Amino acid sequence: MEFKVLGPLAASVPLPSAAQPRRVLAVLLARPNEYVHRDTLVDELWPQGPPSSAAAVVQMAVSKLRKALSPGVPVDDVRQRLRSGRNGYRLTVSAGELDVTAFSELTAAAAKATGAERGTLLEQALGLWRGRAFADVPVGPLVEAHRLWLEDQRSSVLGKLVELELAAGDHRAVADRLGPELAARPGDERLAGWLAEALHRIGRRDAALAVLDRCRQALWEHAGVSPGEDLLAVHRRIAGTGWSAGGAPCRLPPATPDFTGRAGELAEVGRALRGPAPVVLHGAAGSGKSALAVQAAWRVRKRFPDGQLVADLRDDGDVLAGFLRALGLAEAEIPADRTGRISLWQSHTADRRVLVILENGRSEAEIRPLLPSGPGCAVIVTTRRRLAGLVGARPVEVGALSDAESRDLLGAIAGETRLAAEPDAVRRVLACCDGLALAVRAAGTKLLQRPRLSVAEFAARLENERLRLDELAAGDLRVRPVLADALAELSPRQRKSLRLLGSPGVSEFAGWFATALLGRAPGEATELLDELVDDHLLHAEPDRTGFVRYRLPGLIRLALREPPDPGALRRALTAMAALAEHASAALGAEYPPSRRGDVPAAVSDRVAADPIGWRDVESANLALAVRTAKNHGWTELAMRLADAYSDLVGPRKGGSPAWLGFGIVRDRVDLPAEAGKLLKLGHAHADAGDLARARTCFSLAEGRFRSVGDHPGTGSALIALADVDADTGRTGAAVHALREALDLLRDCGDLAGQAMASAQFGSLWDDLGDSRRAKECFDASLLLSLHCEDGRQHDRSAKRYADVLRRNGRMDEAGELLTSALIGTRSSRERHWEAHVLRSLGDLHAKTGDAEESERCLSRSLELFKYVGHRHAAAYTHRSFGESLRLAGEHGRAAEHLSLAMSTFRDLGDRRGGGYALLSFGRLRADEGVATEAAEGLRTAAGLFRELGFPVWELRALKDLSAVDQSGRQRDRAREALTKIRFGATPA
């Protein structure tokens, strides 16, 4: 029988095809005629850890091998080749049956022979090899060690045979023999030296040098080492000049030892360097482009065995001449003219693998001649510009460090222990660094330099904007000169534009604001802004309204600090006032208002399409604009901005800027204007649900209107006061205010005011139980509104009257009035009143059993109230929604809406709204059969209506209460409420 392992595993009998029996056979042939313990076999088959069935698998594999090697022979028969014993197995291999034995015998014989006989024996020994030992068997540690020993023996035999052939002058035989061998082992210096010698001797010098270059490259790529002295000597003999003992030139500066972050950028650069396209690292001055380039270069340098070269393009000197000298060319070989140097550089790098770093590139024309030509070369360019014209380049932006990366870098420099003691101060320091890597490094170095300086004290220094750039300096590591260099590279036009953009004190602004500030046509301004973005002096991204929003980095703004240009600033604030007024007009309209002539049409349309979004992104800048206009003494502009800001944000959320317009007219002692602004502020507070502040404003407005004899104004203030008083339970005061308002408005002939007061009186009389007076008031209101210039008051009166008709069961009449009112409010583009009408329609549909249409109307009403920011009115819609869902049997959703309504009414102090919500909540609990909670809610609602003086609503609550509480305690109260209704026991 024969066994062969010097190549694929084979035998003179068919072997099992399964992997495990063949692997077991390989182990037994590595140790023939020896017992191999079962544990050894298990470790060999499963080096990473055996399964629980390992012993059974080994036993099965042995069984298959026995059947193949000794077919029909019993296990315990002496003829059995594969026997068990000593907790293991032994494979009997006789002399001459294993090719390894024959190889060893031939090698030993060759060692004793001489001359041609020795060569013949060595040839025969190598002839036994059919490939790599155990080539087709997955091996474990034992067989792998045996394979390496066999390969080493073969290599020794091959070397001895080659030495014999070289000594005999048979160089062609050596070349033929070693070509395939070196292809399999390109980094074998001994084989490469022999093959190069052989090729050189048969006249193939170029091929010999190519063999040496490939070996040198393989050594560098796989082991990071240079050729040894023996191979260097071979190169010197063949080439006439030798490789330097230090290998290819490496001009890379040391990598930054505390380099932190940039994992994504490093990975992207690493991938890009696999191809010849230049990698352009572009970013702001001080962003860490150079540190990133060097870090990436050190990671990949083994892929470029012919050298790594670096040049700073700001330095004086000929870059190409320096590169050529670094690659070993003598001074006499370098052409004097630039064209010749470019040509030599490109030809010299055509077949090499060189990595080049070009720092501080300023233009594409400067970079192109310096690019190596070979496909195995790579280039990293660092630049403050994007260099978009560098065809085929792979751009990688080096942006601001993330908060986590900034924190890690600061800790790596200043020490984690020190930073951990003052986490809040660390955040303040990093906020001042604005994610600029140089600034973070300077801050960390300053803290390291001064161990007694607390982080909090350093943060306080940095927060002083006048000191910040001076504080961000340690030794020659300084932020100010780096930013100054970047600004110095700009054209005069760019520098002037950047200074204008930095003058208002805002950190970010929309394109329309920048256009107004620059005082240029939109196209020209956009081109200028794009240039500054390309130079990383501005950041740009679209905001939620579709405008491009620009951000001026804080440190750049400080480096530019100059007095603002008043003309440019006033131009920009005027544009902001116009757009704010346009957004305010669009806020309450269903359709966009007419375009303004003082702003570009495209900007005007976009603001009108989403005034809420515009308000949200511009509110901080708008507040700053109010203060800036006032500080510059531009009073009228400040008033415009303040009024628009108050309309958009509301006086409660807007803070002091929203009240600035009022302050201006108060300082002027302009009582009529002051009264008008107070009335407007009161309505804004009422819309936001702040009834206490609203009443204060209305009272102050009434007093000022009276003092100047303005009857229409006084009447408007009294109507507004009555509305707040009715909601908060001051029904007597509300009736008195409305009566006085009607008298004043009648005397001055204000028909719209009379219609408004009459409609409000009608709703109040209905709540008080006087249906006759309520009808009279609504009839008067509708008649008066027909004679007004526009139909808006008629729609409002119709809405109020429809609510009363619905509560009294007159559904058809209510429906006609509401349909007309809805058409009118949509035509007049009043979103606020459209939402009110939709709520009333939702109530009507709920009452008539059309739950689907009711939900549609109420959902749209909620949407509109939330859009215009009327929290108070939205709470009434939530109450209506809860009642509608209760009637439809959706108790869970009804409870959610009613809970939200009650919570809002409680927060706003609206007792009447709270009573409505409690009444619906009590009805809901009654429908659910929870009598105790129902009775409690209805009893509380009745008591609240009694305190407010609304007997009709009290009676409704008591009626529902009697259905769940049979005690009769509410009967006396019901009689009392009914008496009030019948005999008019209402506020005088």
mmCIF file of all heavy atoms in Angstrom, residues 187-208:
data_model
loop_
_atom_site.group_PDB
_atom_site.id
_atom_site.type_symbol
_atom_site.label_atom_id
_atom_site.label_comp_id
_atom_site.label_asym_id
_atom_site.label_seq_id
_atom_site.Cartn_x
_atom_site.Cartn_y
_atom_site.Cartn_z
ATOM 1 N N GLY A 187 8.288 37.086 -1.248
ATOM 2 C CA GLY A 187 9.139 37.760 -0.278
ATOM 3 C C GLY A 187 10.339 36.941 0.167
ATOM 4 O O GLY A 187 11.036 37.331 1.116
ATOM 5 N N ASP A 188 10.614 35.811 -0.482
ATOM 6 C CA ASP A 188 11.754 34.966 -0.110
ATOM 7 C C ASP A 188 13.023 35.589 -0.701
ATOM 8 O O ASP A 188 13.294 35.512 -1.905
ATOM 9 C CB ASP A 188 11.539 33.543 -0.635
ATOM 10 C CG ASP A 188 12.549 32.560 -0.056
ATOM 11 O OD1 ASP A 188 13.735 32.918 0.044
ATOM 12 O OD2 ASP A 188 12.126 31.436 0.278
ATOM 13 N N GLU A 189 13.842 36.219 0.145
ATOM 14 C CA GLU A 189 15.024 36.937 -0.333
ATOM 15 C C GLU A 189 16.045 35.993 -0.975
ATOM 16 O O GLU A 189 16.692 36.351 -1.973
ATOM 17 C CB GLU A 189 15.671 37.689 0.835
ATOM 18 C CG GLU A 189 14.837 38.833 1.369
ATOM 19 C CD GLU A 189 15.572 39.626 2.425
ATOM 20 O OE1 GLU A 189 16.567 40.305 2.086
ATOM 21 O OE2 GLU A 189 15.157 39.564 3.602
ATOM 22 N N ARG A 190 16.198 34.780 -0.425
ATOM 23 C CA ARG A 190 17.200 33.862 -0.953
ATOM 24 C C ARG A 190 16.852 33.432 -2.379
ATOM 25 O O ARG A 190 17.687 33.466 -3.291
ATOM 26 C CB ARG A 190 17.315 32.635 -0.042
ATOM 27 C CG ARG A 190 18.489 31.737 -0.367
ATOM 28 C CD ARG A 190 18.594 30.621 0.639
ATOM 29 N NE ARG A 190 17.394 29.778 0.640
ATOM 30 C CZ ARG A 190 17.396 28.495 0.992
ATOM 31 N NH1 ARG A 190 18.501 27.917 1.390
ATOM 32 N NH2 ARG A 190 16.282 27.799 0.983
ATOM 33 N N LEU A 191 15.558 33.068 -2.594
ATOM 34 C CA LEU A 191 15.133 32.675 -3.933
ATOM 35 C C LEU A 191 15.239 33.845 -4.917
ATOM 36 O O LEU A 191 15.650 33.675 -6.068
ATOM 37 C CB LEU A 191 13.689 32.168 -3.901
ATOM 38 C CG LEU A 191 13.422 30.868 -3.129
ATOM 39 C CD1 LEU A 191 11.951 30.492 -3.231
ATOM 40 C CD2 LEU A 191 14.295 29.742 -3.637
ATOM 41 N N ALA A 192 14.832 35.061 -4.447
ATOM 42 C CA ALA A 192 14.900 36.219 -5.323
ATOM 43 C C ALA A 192 16.331 36.514 -5.753
ATOM 44 O O ALA A 192 16.607 36.852 -6.912
ATOM 45 C CB ALA A 192 14.296 37.432 -4.619
ATOM 46 N N GLY A 193 17.277 36.385 -4.815
ATOM 47 C CA GLY A 193 18.684 36.624 -5.147
ATOM 48 C C GLY A 193 19.198 35.635 -6.170
ATOM 49 O O GLY A 193 19.882 36.003 -7.137
ATOM 50 N N TRP A 194 18.866 34.336 -5.974
ATOM 51 C CA TRP A 194 19.320 33.319 -6.935
ATOM 52 C C TRP A 194 18.721 33.563 -8.315
ATOM 53 O O TRP A 194 19.415 33.475 -9.326
ATOM 54 C CB TRP A 194 18.923 31.934 -6.438
ATOM 55 C CG TRP A 194 19.752 31.450 -5.278
ATOM 56 C CD1 TRP A 194 21.014 31.803 -4.963
ATOM 57 C CD2 TRP A 194 19.330 30.505 -4.297
ATOM 58 N NE1 TRP A 194 21.439 31.147 -3.834
ATOM 59 C CE2 TRP A 194 20.428 30.332 -3.406
ATOM 60 C CE3 TRP A 194 18.165 29.785 -4.070
ATOM 61 C CZ2 TRP A 194 20.373 29.468 -2.312
ATOM 62 C CZ3 TRP A 194 18.111 28.917 -2.988
ATOM 63 C CH2 TRP A 194 19.209 28.766 -2.117
ATOM 64 N N LEU A 195 17.395 33.828 -8.342
ATOM 65 C CA LEU A 195 16.741 34.015 -9.639
ATOM 66 C C LEU A 195 17.291 35.238 -10.363
ATOM 67 O O LEU A 195 17.523 35.224 -11.566
ATOM 68 C CB LEU A 195 15.221 34.154 -9.439
ATOM 69 C CG LEU A 195 14.390 34.373 -10.715
ATOM 70 C CD1 LEU A 195 14.634 33.250 -11.732
ATOM 71 C CD2 LEU A 195 12.905 34.461 -10.377
ATOM 72 N N ALA A 196 17.517 36.342 -9.606
ATOM 73 C CA ALA A 196 18.082 37.538 -10.221
ATOM 74 C C ALA A 196 19.471 37.264 -10.785
ATOM 75 O O ALA A 196 19.805 37.702 -11.898
ATOM 76 C CB ALA A 196 18.119 38.669 -9.197
ATOM 77 N N GLU A 197 20.297 36.524 -10.031
ATOM 78 C CA GLU A 197 21.637 36.175 -10.518
ATOM 79 C C GLU A 197 21.527 35.368 -11.804
ATOM 80 O O GLU A 197 22.254 35.609 -12.788
ATOM 81 C CB GLU A 197 22.375 35.377 -9.446
ATOM 82 C CG GLU A 197 22.764 36.170 -8.213
ATOM 83 C CD GLU A 197 24.072 36.920 -8.402
ATOM 84 O OE1 GLU A 197 24.527 37.044 -9.557
ATOM 85 O OE2 GLU A 197 24.609 37.398 -7.392
ATOM 86 N N ALA A 198 20.610 34.394 -11.814
ATOM 87 C CA ALA A 198 20.474 33.534 -12.987
ATOM 88 C C ALA A 198 20.015 34.330 -14.201
ATOM 89 O O ALA A 198 20.549 34.185 -15.312
ATOM 90 C CB ALA A 198 19.499 32.408 -12.680
ATOM 91 N N LEU A 199 19.001 35.200 -14.011
ATOM 92 C CA LEU A 199 18.507 36.003 -15.133
ATOM 93 C C LEU A 199 19.588 36.951 -15.647
ATOM 94 O O LEU A 199 19.718 37.178 -16.860
ATOM 95 C CB LEU A 199 17.267 36.794 -14.690
ATOM 96 C CG LEU A 199 15.997 35.966 -14.421
ATOM 97 C CD1 LEU A 199 14.921 36.827 -13.759
ATOM 98 C CD2 LEU A 199 15.472 35.366 -15.723
ATOM 99 N N HIS A 200 20.336 37.519 -14.718
ATOM 100 C CA HIS A 200 21.411 38.429 -15.119
ATOM 101 C C HIS A 200 22.459 37.698 -15.952
ATOM 102 O O HIS A 200 22.960 38.233 -16.961
ATOM 103 C CB HIS A 200 22.033 39.048 -13.875
ATOM 104 C CG HIS A 200 23.124 40.034 -14.161
ATOM 105 N ND1 HIS A 200 22.997 41.065 -15.064
ATOM 106 C CD2 HIS A 200 24.395 40.115 -13.665
ATOM 107 C CE1 HIS A 200 24.120 41.753 -15.108
ATOM 108 N NE2 HIS A 200 24.998 41.194 -14.266
ATOM 109 N N ARG A 201 22.773 36.457 -15.542
ATOM 110 C CA ARG A 201 23.816 35.698 -16.247
ATOM 111 C C ARG A 201 23.378 35.305 -17.652
ATOM 112 O O ARG A 201 24.239 35.100 -18.514
ATOM 113 C CB ARG A 201 24.168 34.447 -15.441
ATOM 114 C CG ARG A 201 24.801 34.730 -14.083
ATOM 115 C CD ARG A 201 26.167 35.378 -14.221
ATOM 116 N NE ARG A 201 26.753 35.674 -12.932
ATOM 117 C CZ ARG A 201 27.461 34.804 -12.212
ATOM 118 N NH1 ARG A 201 27.651 33.577 -12.658
ATOM 119 N NH2 ARG A 201 27.955 35.169 -11.053
ATOM 120 N N ILE A 202 22.071 35.180 -17.882
ATOM 121 C CA ILE A 202 21.638 34.808 -19.246
ATOM 122 C C ILE A 202 21.223 36.050 -20.050
ATOM 123 O O ILE A 202 20.532 35.955 -21.060
ATOM 124 C CB ILE A 202 20.480 33.786 -19.207
ATOM 125 C CG1 ILE A 202 19.253 34.370 -18.502
ATOM 126 C CG2 ILE A 202 20.921 32.485 -18.558
ATOM 127 C CD1 ILE A 202 18.053 33.432 -18.515
ATOM 128 N N GLY A 203 21.614 37.240 -19.538
ATOM 129 C CA GLY A 203 21.426 38.465 -20.295
ATOM 130 C C GLY A 203 20.095 39.163 -20.095
ATOM 131 O O GLY A 203 19.758 40.072 -20.875
ATOM 132 N N ARG A 204 19.350 38.803 -19.075
ATOM 133 C CA ARG A 204 18.038 39.439 -18.843
ATOM 134 C C ARG A 204 18.118 40.355 -17.612
ATOM 135 O O ARG A 204 17.531 40.104 -16.574
ATOM 136 C CB ARG A 204 16.961 38.372 -18.668
ATOM 137 C CG ARG A 204 16.787 37.500 -19.907
ATOM 138 C CD ARG A 204 15.779 36.403 -19.660
ATOM 139 N NE ARG A 204 14.466 36.954 -19.348
ATOM 140 C CZ ARG A 204 13.447 36.224 -18.906
ATOM 141 N NH1 ARG A 204 13.602 34.905 -18.736
ATOM 142 N NH2 ARG A 204 12.291 36.785 -18.653
ATOM 143 N N ARG A 205 18.895 41.461 -17.758
ATOM 144 C CA ARG A 205 19.150 42.370 -16.635
ATOM 145 C C ARG A 205 17.866 43.036 -16.126
ATOM 146 O O ARG A 205 17.637 43.113 -14.908
ATOM 147 C CB ARG A 205 20.150 43.432 -17.073
ATOM 148 C CG ARG A 205 20.490 44.463 -15.994
ATOM 149 C CD ARG A 205 21.550 45.435 -16.489
ATOM 150 N NE ARG A 205 21.866 46.424 -15.484
ATOM 151 C CZ ARG A 205 21.222 47.577 -15.312
ATOM 152 N NH1 ARG A 205 20.193 47.867 -16.122
ATOM 153 N NH2 ARG A 205 21.584 48.423 -14.371
ATOM 154 N N ASP A 206 17.027 43.527 -17.054
ATOM 155 C CA ASP A 206 15.796 44.198 -16.628
ATOM 156 C C ASP A 206 14.883 43.260 -15.849
ATOM 157 O O ASP A 206 14.274 43.646 -14.844
ATOM 158 C CB ASP A 206 15.049 44.751 -17.841
ATOM 159 C CG ASP A 206 15.778 45.929 -18.469
ATOM 160 O OD1 ASP A 206 16.661 46.493 -17.790
ATOM 161 O OD2 ASP A 206 15.475 46.272 -19.628
ATOM 162 N N ALA A 207 14.778 42.007 -16.335
ATOM 163 C CA ALA A 207 13.945 41.040 -15.628
ATOM 164 C C ALA A 207 14.517 40.756 -14.253
ATOM 165 O O ALA A 207 13.774 40.578 -13.269
ATOM 166 C CB ALA A 207 13.835 39.758 -16.438
ATOM 167 N N ALA A 208 15.856 40.714 -14.135
ATOM 168 C CA ALA A 208 16.485 40.475 -12.843
ATOM 169 C C ALA A 208 16.165 41.600 -11.868
ATOM 170 O O ALA A 208 15.835 41.357 -10.694
ATOM 171 C CB ALA A 208 17.996 40.334 -13.028
#
